[in-house]
Amino acid sequence: MNIIESMKMAGTTLLSNRLRSALTMLGIVIGNASVIAMIGIGEAGQKYVSKQLESLGPNVLFVLPGNEETQRISFEVPRNLVLADAEAIASQVPTVAGVAPELNRRQRVAFKSRNTDVNVIGTTPGFLKVRDFATAKGRFFSDIDMKRNNQVVVLGSKFASKFFGTNNAIGQQIRIKDSKFEVIGVLTEKGSSVGADYDSAVLIPLTTSANRLVGKNSPYGIALDYISASARDGKSVDAAVFQITNLLRLRHKITNEDDFTLRTQKDALSTVGQITGALTIMLAAIAAISLFVGGIGIMNIMLVSVTERTHEIGLRKAIGATQQDILWQFTIEAVIVSAAGGLVGAAIGVSGILLVGALTPLEAAISPIAIASAVGVSGGIGLFFGVFPARRAAKLDPIVALRSI
């Protein structure tokens, strides 16, 4: 017998026992679908988070108070980063195109009978350029508003819709804590960026926030939660990090360990890539266990099939079939079952990825390499677990097999 005849015979045998063949490949189907879906969802999650980080602004980097160890072991944020540091970065670092310090506090905001707790962000006019925002209505606050501590506010798009609906918010008076603020602008909608939802926040001049809401809680000036800065271009990011580090070390008179931390988009993307990559591998490994279980199922069913078809094996050997012919037939049956299960599982896995892409913000990410690998592995599992039953069938003595009737 040649391989083609063995494949025809194997296909005929499997089709004559459709239910048993379907149950045999069920483990492979589940395993392949799980592996492909987990890898696809993991890649989609990584792309989603990367887009969120990129939406923070072009070539943006962040200066945080306290070093990494301080941030890790301390519940209280250090107050060693002040407005004067941000002003020094803006004026003395040539590779920086803009600087936007921020002072964030949760405050009660009210308008007529409506009130809610919202994130009130004190910042500077450079915020729009650094964080790549624009105003949909009205204007953003200016340097004059900063100098005069004007009580003006710019609303996030979601907050404006929640409080004013379709009415014009410009010129309205809202109350933040115990002070009245005039609405002078509404930001364009941008969506949340890694936990920072500016669409649902309100922005006021940083000096007004420090003098009227928060207070100056540092002996060196207005303490900041962080400073965001944008490099002039992508090639200037590393130079900007170097120059800002040197400047702050001189200003803070640091001789040993830094009392601040610099983070860039590249750092964040690298961290996110490592985390999502590890999670994807872990989930895929867990899902791959079902492939192994499916292989054991194939071996068990094939062993039962050998026992049931002992008489058939004896007849074939009696009329001239060799051990290799029997070995090929049973091995091919196992490979067909596992490969077919792999293809069905791949189709289900791809359908699951498309469904997740349609129902969630995640973008469907279908990996041809993952599909080809999963189907190939399932075929290999069928070959591996099918060899033992096939060898057992091939070694049956024809006389003994014929007496088993």
Side-chain angles (χ1 to χ4, degrees), residues 347-369:
I348 295 174
V350 170
S351 300
I353 294 172
L354 295 175
L355 183 63
V356 169
L359 299 178
T360 69
L362 299 179
E363 181 182 347
I366 300 173
S367 173
I369 296 177

Side-chain angles (χ1 to χ4, degrees), residues 127-147:
F127 174 86
L128 292 182
K129 180 178 181 180
V130 173
R131 303 304 293 271
D132 197 24
F133 268 92
T135 51
K137 298 178 182 178
R139 67 177 180 88
F140 204 71
F141 41 81
S142 62
D143 292 329
I144 295 177
D145 294 318
M146 291 280 294
K147 292 177 181 179

